[in-house]
Amino acid sequence: MMWSAEVVARATVRRQGEGLDRERVAAKVVEAERRERETQQQLRSPGGRGPYDVDPEELADQWVARHAEWRRVAALMSEQGWTVYAPEQDV
């Protein structure tokens, strides 16, 4: 079974985000935005990839999804007034 980029992003963010405060979540949003931009640039640039490199399109999709998920978590924390992210409360 193949997992979608969104499902993988949600699982990753839930795992990495546990216990992070708003400032650290905001830093994750910035990092994901940068990585999304970099992977999109890599996707548009000419050049090959080695036999062990990740598919650039798949990697770009993963960072788009992760960026969206970190933004969602940041918004949820703000809406709910959470000081730290708790995956068990994020339904």
Side-chain angles (χ1 to χ4, degrees):
M1 177 178 189
M2 189 76 173
W3 297 97
S4 72
E6 291 78 15
V7 169
V8 172
R10 181 153 174 89
T12 300
V13 168
R14 288 175 66 87
R15 186 181 67 254
Q16 291 180 355
E18 185 169 8
L20 296 184
D21 61 21
R22 289 182 190 184
E23 185 176 295
R24 304 255 335 250
V25 168
K28 290 286 194 178
V29 170
V30 171
E31 176 190 5
E33 179 181 23
R34 179 183 55 81
R35 296 294 300 267
E36 177 183 353
R37 187 175 50 253
E38 289 171 355
T39 57
Q40 292 295 323
Q41 289 170 348
Q42 179 185 9
L43 196 56
R44 291 189 299 268
S45 69
R49 56 185 173 107
Y52 304 110
D53 289 344
V54 174
D55 175 5
E57 191 170 323
E58 183 180 329
L59 185 60
D61 289 347
Q62 289 174 11
W63 279 106
V64 166
R66 204 173 295 182
H67 183 204
E69 185 64 15
W70 279 116
R71 285 191 322 250
R72 185 194 68 77
V73 166
L76 178 66
M77 289 179 70
S78 181
E79 279 176 15
Q80 299 296 321
W82 296 350
T83 56
V84 296
Y85 179 66
E88 65 276 359
Q89 293 178 339
D90 182 2
V91 293

